[in-house]
Amino acid sequence: MAKDEHNKAAEHHETAAKAHRSAAEHHGKGDHAKGKEHAASAKQHSQTAHQQSDAAHSKSQQQK
């Protein structure tokens, strides 16, 4: 079901956003090691979100 795919993509987008904010916070405090860790996590979640978004879009198009 396309709705499930969209929900999965949204969850990854939200997790990526949280990790981005956390990375920015750590970098702002000068904790660059922790900032890089969160940035790497954000990147992974962003890539997964993109893949999920593509899958959701494809399923939505098939249901038309």
Side-chain angles (χ1 to χ4, degrees):
M1 178 179 230
K3 181 180 177 185
D4 292 337
E5 297 297 324
H6 285 288
N7 285 334
K8 288 178 188 176
E11 288 174 17
H12 283 286
H13 281 294
E14 290 168 2
T15 303
K18 288 177 185 177
H20 278 292
R21 285 189 293 272
S22 185
E25 183 178 329
H26 285 287
H27 279 292
K29 291 179 179 178
D31 187 357
H32 299 294
K34 204 65 157 158
K36 286 182 182 181
E37 182 181 317
H38 286 285
S41 175
K43 181 179 178 181
Q44 182 60 46
H45 282 289
S46 292
Q47 290 171 336
T48 303
H50 179 73
Q51 292 168 349
Q52 290 289 333
S53 293
D54 285 346
H57 180 72
S58 291
K59 286 188 177 187
S60 291
Q61 293 294 60
Q62 292 172 359
Q63 291 178 356
K64 286 185 177 182

